[in-house]
Amino acid sequence: MRASQLLDEIAAVGRDRVRGGFSRHAFDPAEGELRTWFVERAQRLGLDVETDRNGNIWAWWGTPGPDAVVTGSHLDSVPGGGAFDGPLGVVSALDAVEALQAKGFVPGKPFAVVVFAEEEGGRFGVPCLGSRLLTGSIDADRARALRDPDGVTLAEAASRAGHDPERFGADPEALSRIGRFIELHVEQGRGLIDLGSPVAVGSTVIAHGRWRFSFSGQGNHAGATLIGDRHDPMIPAAAVVAAARRAALATGDGRATVGRLVPTPGGTNVIASTVDLWLDARVPGDKRTQALVAEITEAAEEAALAEGCLITVSEESYSDTVTFDAGLRDELSKRLGGVPELPTGAGHDAGVLAAHVPSGMLYVRNPTGVSHAPEEFAEVADVDHGARALAAVLEHLST
Ligand code: HGY
Ligand code: MN
Ligand code: MN
């Protein structure tokens, strides 16, 4: 089945009527539906499916073994996300396997399609959670204790979904089986529009991380409290939002975003007692992201002091710049007849694996240049082009 038809099959799963787009998060019902769909589709291709200790799904074409060619991506989304971020890599992998089987190709090496858990960190806050657990890049106890916005821990959510959270943790055996990892992903910016190419090979992922800022002041009455008598945590929170934009602009190529801000108690006529917000900061080049966050933190501390509020700042995740394996990049480019190379500001499981195994990425053109929003898109012709390109590189690598 063609990648675009497979996408159509899941187009109704996890639709978010409030936000628009899709909300499919680790171990929630919508993601569970997608897991079931993937397993069924993979088994129809004769793949042997297993779920690893961290909730990542592996569909093996032939016997699992060392030096495997592995491809795949994720099925979870950001809140109100698009249809392609994650699923495009999964459906393209299934399409590529079917196309290779149809021409009678049999891999000369172990071969697997993988679906990583909680790549977006949309529920538990840490991105690439499944691949970070697999590679031991996050402490399993810390992961188990991560809480979603309703206070449910990852351990509780995972066990409710039929997984054993006590098994979470580094999986050197699964990791050692991977010879090369290739992730196909929808492009999340305008790179391929400007280059006029349907497909590109990934070159780098810029450094990026997430920081939680918590402000506490004095909850009070919005009408009966004079301004001079307030300790309103929303004021230093607003200072973070303004400083993020100002400081990121000043770097020239940095990005800083506050997309999530939670006042407590959250009443219209109530001065908040606490405000939590999350800063997503990304700057090309090492140490520059930390410098940007330090500048924003300084502004936040000054504003908190002036308002008589307390502040705590904690780093929730950070990934240094990733440069994909040069040899693999060249192999992919050559096999595809010299397609362009593209840096990205988006993180991926391939970025986490790149520190452990030769990893590469293929991007498929997104004519809107918009991602993490319902407008994210890829034309059927480009989706097909991407699946054909993936099949070609997988055949090359598996021979
Ligand atoms: O946030 C990211 O960069 C990716 O979409 N997880
Ligand atoms: Mn994403
Ligand atoms: Mn993604």
Side-chain angles (χ1 to χ4, degrees):
M1 211 178 206
R2 290 169 54 196
S4 46
Q5 294 168 309
L6 289 165
L7 276 178
D8 290 345
E9 281 194 331
I10 56 173
V13 179
R15 279 212 174 270
D16 191 319
R17 304 256 171 260
V18 174
R19 298 183 180 96
F22 298 87
S23 291
R24 303 156 165 173
H25 306 310
F27 309 124
D28 77 3
E31 195 241 21
E33 251 187 270
L34 291 175
R35 283 174 178 266
T36 306
W37 165 84
F38 172 76
V39 170
E40 197 275 325
R41 274 284 162 207
Q43 286 171 338
R44 247 195 256 185
L45 291 171
L47 307 184
D48 294 321
V49 185
E50 60 180 13
T51 299
D52 72 15
R53 61 192 310 174
N54 294 304
N56 305 308
I57 311 172
W58 298 76
W60 288 94
W61 183 3
T63 316
D67 196 27
V69 173
V70 180
T71 185
S73 190
H74 61 95
L75 291 171
D76 67 296
S77 73
V78 294
F84 298 84
D85 177 354
L88 185 65
V90 175
V91 297
S92 300
L94 292 171
D95 179 330
V97 168
E98 185 169 356
L100 291 173
Q101 288 177 346
K103 59 184 278 192
F105 176 75
V106 176
K109 298 180 174 179
F111 184 112
V113 177
V114 66
V115 174
F116 285 108
E118 180 75 340
E119 188 279 339
E120 296 292 0
R123 181 174 179 186
F124 295 100
V126 174
C128 299
L129 193 55
S131 52
R132 286 176 196 259
L133 280 166
L134 167 72
T135 56
S137 316
I138 183 171
D139 172 71
D141 286 334
R142 176 182 171 222
R144 275 185 279 266
L146 291 171
R147 289 185 184 277
D148 74 3
D150 298 329
V152 177
T153 64
L154 174 68
E156 288 156 357
S159 29
R160 284 178 203 160
H163 304 269
D164 175 2
E166 284 317 305
R167 299 184 61 224
F168 283 171
D171 192 341
E173 194 204 335
L175 184 58
S176 68
R177 281 200 294 247
I178 307 175
R180 275 34 120 89
F181 177 65
I182 305 292
E183 179 170 5
L184 180 144
H185 206 282
V186 67
E187 216 246 304
Q188 297 179 284
R190 297 188 45 80
L192 284 173
I193 302 167
D194 301 339
L195 289 167
S197 168
V199 168
V201 169
S203 55
T204 60
V205 176
I206 69 172
H208 61 285
R210 301 180 184 189
W211 285 261
R212 175 178 180 154
F213 286 67
S214 297
F215 298 98
S216 66
Q218 177 56 58
N220 216 325
H221 193 294
T225 316
L226 295 176
I227 296 297
D229 298 335
R230 294 181 181 210
H231 302 294
D232 181 351
M234 195 61 94
I235 303 304
V240 173
V241 175
R245 170 58 65 91
R246 191 178 55 247
L249 264 181
T251 64
D253 55 356
R255 307 115 214 245
T257 312
V258 175
R260 185 176 161 215
L261 184 149
V262 180
T264 300
T268 302
N269 57 351
V270 178
I271 301 169
S273 51
T274 63
V275 174
D276 290 300
L277 65 83
W278 284 262
L279 173 72
D280 178 311
R282 314 187 188 205
V283 190
D286 291 338
K287 304 281 175 265
R288 294 182 66 209
T289 304
Q290 282 84 350
L292 173 61
V293 173
E295 190 180 334
I296 296 166
T297 303
E298 202 181 318
E301 286 165 344
E302 273 168 32
L305 186 67
E307 185 64 20
C309 290
L310 297 176
I311 173 175
T312 58
V313 184
S314 54
E315 179 183 291
E316 296 203 335
S317 67
Y318 177 72
S319 314
D320 248 341
T321 310
V322 168
T323 302
F324 289 117
D325 182 274
L328 185 52
R329 260 170 36 204
D330 294 346
E331 266 189 274
L332 298 181
S333 273
K334 218 164 31 225
R335 187 70 193 77
L336 298 178
V339 296
E341 289 200 351
L342 208 59
T344 182
H348 300 284
D349 292 305
V352 173
L353 288 180
H356 304 272
V357 296
S359 301
M361 290 196 73
L362 295 184
Y363 294 114
V364 172
R365 179 168 45 198
N366 168 351
T368 68
V370 172
S371 183
H372 283 186
E375 296 81 5
E376 183 182 272
F377 188 65
E379 303 286 355
V380 171
D382 286 349
V383 167
D384 285 344
H385 197 113
R388 301 283 68 76
L390 183 62
V393 299
L394 292 173
E395 180 178 13
H396 168 72
L397 295 172
S398 311
T399 300

